[in-house]
Structures are given as structure tokens and as C-alpha cells.
């Protein structure tokens, strides 16, 4: 084997040098294919990372809620059959039954990393003659901010939530004409009222959320909603975000709660991400097939044009195995050379696209993700594709009869 390698290397390089035009075309085709694969893979990875970051920093990965209230028909006796229309009752704001015990169970689960309790409900925000209906979420900042990154959305003030503080969205602040430091009167559903100070203004990038969402201390919301000592939601953060739905189903099966994962609550967006992944896979497949057929076509033509040369080599004692290895190596070299240039062009295209898609405020449409693993994997796959594509021409060349090849 050691004796064959110098011949195989020099032979493959000589064949490539003699067919410079053909080699240039096929390397150019591989370059374009690899550049497309690198660009699409990195761009979709960046878009997915941006989507996941926005979703997981604005809501818990798993939400535990009180189970739905279901009306049951009344029966007068065991032998009586009642055929009555049972209407679904209106869903009231209820506290999770035995939420302390459930929270301790969640903390004991190895899959769960953070547990945060909260209380939510409707209220009326009043400032002067202006009033708006809002959603009040009472939280414990020490745990809740480890799941929902409110400081990432802060545009004014700071996230401070004592019993007399409130954080509001930008749209609500604009509608009420309020700024940081102003007072805001909240009238709760229980009839109680609290005068709170605006300590922070946040922007979620969603007009509805900015107009509706407000954040107060947990005890403040319990007082406003008339549920002292209760919570309406237990938020969880898990180690494996893509296993959130499976974990939520397991929790719901063993506890008297309704468990919703971020995958379930963002089903359409999650489906879109999966569709992007499938599209990327198909693009890679078809680009790889086009590259493989291009390499095979060039090498087949090379075998036909150099039949006499191959016949002379065979007559001089070159074995079939050496001829086979020569063409296989030639295909691998074509794939490897194309992968190097393609990866370079793909990376340059990514940097250019990243710079041109920056928004006016300097924020990124998607983070630039250039992983060395992507280039290594692409180079290996391109080289392997070249070797596989060269298999048929290599077998054809190795099976040429020396006498017929020289005569032809």
C-alpha cells in the first residue's frame, strides 16, 4: 500500500492538471454548492436561535395552571337517566390547589432548573382621566427573572418591584401619558385599589403585550385580586428545552394541574422552525446530488478521453487497484478543493448579509453563528461526495482492457 501512494497522488494530480478547464468548472460548481450549504445552514441556525431566545426570555418554558372547570350533570337517583345540556362554565381566576406542595415536587425533579410562582388577573389602570384595562402579573423577582428576562426588554427605569412598585409596557405608558416615577392607580377585580409607582418601562416588541402587561410584586397582586396566599401559575425552566412538551405531559399526568409547554403555546412558530430545518435538509440533499453528478460526469469524460493513457499504464504493470485508487483520489481532491473555496465564500456571504440586515437601532435580525464544526462537516461531506461520485468512473477505468484501450 505504501508503494502505491506516491503513484496514486502524482497520477491524480497530473490528471487534474491536464484537464484544467474541466477541473476548474467542477471545482467552481462544488464551490457554489458548498457556499449555498454553509450560508443556508448558518442563516437558518441564526434565525432559529433568535426565535428561541425571544420566546424563552419572554415566558416560562412550562406553565402550570389550575385545571379547567368542568360542569357535571346532577342526578336525582342511581337509576334515573338525565338527558340534559351541560354548558361549559365561565372560567374564573382560581389559585392552584396545594400549590406549595406542587412547587416542592417540581423543585425535586432533575429536569427542572428553576421554579417561579406568580399571580395574574385583570385590573383597571387609572391615571388622571385616562384608564386602561390591563393584565396584572404578580411575581417574585428573585426566581421569576431567572426564567423571564425582563431586564433585556427594559427601555427606561429599572426592574424594581417592592410592594408599591409597578413595571409597565411602552404602549400603556404612552396611552396614559406616564413616565418613570409617576403614580398609577390599579383597581382590582376584588374591589381593592393600590396606588403604585412606575419604576420601569419595558418593550416586548409586541404592541398588544406592551399595552396589556404590567408587573407587580406577588403580594400586591394577591391583594388586588383578593386571593391572599394563592398563586395562579407556576413557571418552570428545564434543562432540555426541546423536551419541554414531554416533561409537561408527565407533570400533568401526576399532578392536578394543566401543564402547557412553550412548544404547545407557540405551535405555529415551532412548526415554522421545523419546516425551515426540513427545507435546509432538502437544499443540502439536492445541492449534494448536483455536485456528485457533476464530478461523476467530468470523471467519466476523463476516462473516455484518457483511455489510451490508462491502457499504457495497465500495460506497464499498473494494477487495477492502483487505477481505481487514482480516480477515487481525484474525486476526493475535487470535493475537498471545492469545499475549501466554498466555505470561504459562504462565510464572506454570511458576514455581508449580517451587516446589511442590521436594523436602524443597531439590533440584529439574527445572530451571526459561524461554528467551526459546520465547516469541518461540510468539508468531510464534500470530500466523501467526491469519492462516492468517482466510484463509477473509477470502476470503469480499472476494468479497461489494456489492448483494447491502446487500439482505441
Amino acid at each position: 500500500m505504501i508503494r502505491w501512494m506516491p503513484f496514486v497522488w502524482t497520477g491524480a494530480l497530473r490528471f487534474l492538471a491536464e484537464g484544467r478547464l474541466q477541473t476548474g468548472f467542477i471545482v467552481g460548481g462544488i464551490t457554489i454548492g458548498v457556499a449555498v450549504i454553509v450560508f443556508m445552514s448558518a442563516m437558518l441556525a441564526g434565525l432559529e436561535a433568535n426565535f428561541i431566545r425571544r420566546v424563552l426570555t419572554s415566558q416560562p418554558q412550562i406553565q402550570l395552571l389550575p385545571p379547567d372547570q368542568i360542569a357535571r350533570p346532577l342526578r336525582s337517583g342511581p337509576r334515573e337517566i338525565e338527558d340534559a345540556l351541560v354548558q361549559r362554565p365561565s372560567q374564573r381566576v382560581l389559585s392552584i390547589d396545594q400549590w406549595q406542595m406542587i412547587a416542592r415536587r417540581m423543585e425535586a425533579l432533575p429536569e427542572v432548573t428553576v421554579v417561579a410562582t406568580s399571580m395574574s388577573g385583570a385590573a383597571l389602570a387609572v391615571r388622571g382621566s385616562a384608564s386602561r384595562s390591563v393584565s396584572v402579573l404578580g411575581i417574585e423577582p428573585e426566581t421569576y427573572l431567572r426564567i423571564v428576562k425582563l431586564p433585556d426588554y427594559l427601555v427606561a427605569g429599572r426592574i424594581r418591584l417592592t410592594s408599591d412598585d409597578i413595571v409597565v409596557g411602552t404602549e400603556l405608558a404612552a396611552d396614559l401619558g406616564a413616565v418613570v416615577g409617576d403614580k398609577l392607580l390599579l383597581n382590582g377585580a376584588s374591589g381593592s385599589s393600590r396606588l403604585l409607582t412606575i419604576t420601569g418601562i419595558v418593550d416586548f416588541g409586541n404592541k398588544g403585550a406592551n399595552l396589556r402587561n404590567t408587573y407587580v410584586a406577588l403580594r400586591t397582586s394577591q391583594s388586588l385580586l383578593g386571593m391572599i396566599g394563592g398563586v395562579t401559575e407556576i413557571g418552570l425552566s428545564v434543562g432540555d428545552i426541546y423536551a419541554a412538551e414531554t416533561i409537561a405531559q408527565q407533570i400533568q399526568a401526576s399532578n392536578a394541574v394543566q401543564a402547557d409547554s412553550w412548544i404547545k403555546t407557540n405551535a405555529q412558530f415551532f412548526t415554522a422552525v421545523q419546516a425551515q430545518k426540513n427545507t435546509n435538509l432538502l437544499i443540502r440533499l439536492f445541492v449534494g446530488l448536483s455536485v456528485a453528478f457533476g464530478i461523476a460526469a467530468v470523471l467519466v469524460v476523463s476516462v473516455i478521453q484518457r483511455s489510451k493513457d490508462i491502457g499504457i499504464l495497465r500495460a506497464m504493470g499498473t494494477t487495477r487497484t492502483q487505477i481505481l485508487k487514482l480516480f477515487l483520489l481525484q474525486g476526493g481532491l475535487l470535493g475537498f478543493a471545492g469545499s475549501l473555496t466554498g466555505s470561504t465564500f459562504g462565510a464572506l456571504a454570511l458576514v455581508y448579509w449580517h451587516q446589511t440586515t442590521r436594523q436602524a437601532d443597531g439590533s440584529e435580525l439574527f445572530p451571526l453563528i459561524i461554528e467551526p464544526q459546520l465547516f469541518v462537516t461540510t468539508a468531510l461531506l464534500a470530500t466523501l461526495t467526491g469519492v462516492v461520485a468517482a466510484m463509477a468512473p473509477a470502476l470503469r477505468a480499472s476494468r479497461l482492457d489494456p489492448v483494447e484501450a491502446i487500439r482505441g
Side-chain angles (χ1 to χ4, degrees):
M1 179 177 180
I2 297 176
R3 289 185 291 107
W4 294 344
M5 291 309 296
F7 165 78
V8 172
W9 273 104
T10 55
L13 294 174
R14 183 172 62 83
F15 271 57
L16 287 173
E18 290 177 356
R20 286 188 296 270
L21 183 60
Q22 296 173 348
T23 301
F25 275 118
I26 193 59
V27 171
I30 298 172
T31 298
I32 295 174
V34 171
V36 169
I37 291 175
V38 169
F39 180 81
M40 291 296 296
S41 299
M43 184 183 70
L44 292 179
L47 289 173
E48 180 182 356
N50 187 40
F51 162 70
I52 297 296
R53 180 182 61 82
R54 289 181 180 274
V55 169
L56 297 186
T57 57
S58 62
Q59 68 179 58
Q61 296 166 19
I62 298 178
Q63 294 173 307
L64 304 187
L65 307 169
D68 284 347
Q69 305 166 51
I70 302 175
R72 297 180 179 178
L74 299 176
R75 302 185 183 276
S76 301
R79 296 184 179 180
E80 296 182 5
I81 300 176
E82 182 177 339
D83 186 14
L85 178 63
V86 180
Q87 295 183 346
R88 181 183 177 89
S90 59
Q91 301 297 301
R92 296 173 297 162
V93 177
L94 294 177
S95 174
I96 298 177
D97 188 28
Q98 297 181 340
W99 64 267
Q100 296 94 337
M101 180 181 66
I102 295 176
R104 287 194 296 268
R105 288 180 183 174
M106 298 303 104
E107 291 173 349
L109 292 177
E111 302 91 349
V112 177
T113 57
V114 183
V115 178
T117 55
S118 59
M119 166 71 71
S120 63
L124 186 67
V126 180
R127 183 174 183 271
S129 60
S131 63
R132 293 292 184 273
S133 177
V134 297
S135 174
V136 178
L137 182 63
I139 64 173
E140 294 178 317
E142 297 79 11
T143 55
Y144 190 82
L145 296 185
R146 293 171 58 191
I147 299 178
V148 178
K149 309 298 183 182
L150 279 182
D152 293 349
Y153 303 97
L154 189 67
V155 295
R158 57 175 176 161
I159 306 297
R160 189 191 68 186
L161 290 175
T162 65
S163 59
D164 296 322
D165 298 329
I166 184 172
V167 173
V168 302
T170 54
E171 297 294 334
L172 178 61
D175 285 358
L176 297 178
V179 295
V180 173
D182 288 348
K183 301 292 183 178
L184 191 65
L185 180 65
L186 280 189
N187 297 320
S190 65
S192 61
S193 300
R194 292 290 296 271
L195 186 64
L196 305 175
T197 302
I198 299 177
T199 58
I201 298 177
V202 292
D203 183 4
F204 292 105
N206 182 294
K207 185 175 181 179
N210 291 336
L211 183 62
R212 182 180 62 254
N213 293 355
T214 63
Y215 296 87
V216 298
L218 178 59
R219 290 186 178 181
T220 302
S221 65
Q222 290 172 339
S223 174
L224 279 170
L225 301 174
M227 285 189 289
I228 302 299
V231 299
T232 58
E233 177 184 325
I234 300 177
L236 306 178
S237 179
V238 296
D240 184 1
I241 60 175
Y242 292 103
E245 180 61 23
T246 302
I247 298 172
Q249 292 176 1
Q250 294 172 352
I251 293 174
Q252 183 168 318
S254 57
N255 296 274
V257 293
Q258 176 185 336
D260 295 334
S261 71
W262 72 274
I263 296 175
K264 180 179 179 180
T265 55
N266 299 275
Q268 292 183 343
F269 291 103
F270 190 76
T271 302
V273 170
Q274 293 299 116
Q276 285 183 341
K277 287 185 176 180
N278 295 334
T279 301
N280 189 24
L281 180 61
L282 288 176
I283 291 174
R284 292 181 184 181
L285 177 61
F286 286 117
V287 169
L289 287 176
S290 64
V291 168
F293 280 115
I295 294 175
V298 168
L299 293 183
V300 166
V301 173
S302 178
V303 170
I304 296 174
Q305 291 179 340
R306 299 168 183 174
S307 296
K308 288 186 177 181
D309 295 335
I310 295 172
I312 293 173
L313 289 174
R314 291 281 289 113
M316 294 174 61
T318 305
T319 64
R320 294 178 182 272
T321 303
Q322 289 176 314
I323 296 295
L324 180 67
K325 288 185 177 182
L326 187 150
F327 279 89
L328 290 179
L329 182 59
Q330 187 176 359
L333 288 174
L334 287 171
F336 182 72
S339 69
L340 292 181
T341 53
S343 296
T344 302
F345 281 111
L348 293 175
L350 274 173
V351 173
Y352 176 76
W353 176 262
H354 181 258
Q355 295 296 329
T356 55
T357 54
R358 280 185 177 272
Q359 300 180 11
D361 58 357
S363 60
E364 299 175 343
L365 179 62
F366 65 92
L368 181 62
I369 299 178
I370 301 180
E371 299 178 348
Q373 182 181 359
L374 174 62
F375 298 99
V376 174
T377 303
T378 303
L380 292 176
L381 288 177
T383 304
L384 181 61
T385 300
V387 174
V388 173
M391 184 65 69
L395 290 174
R396 177 187 176 92
S398 65
R399 292 171 181 171
L400 282 176
D401 184 84
V403 177
E404 293 182 359
I406 294 174
R407 285 179 179 177

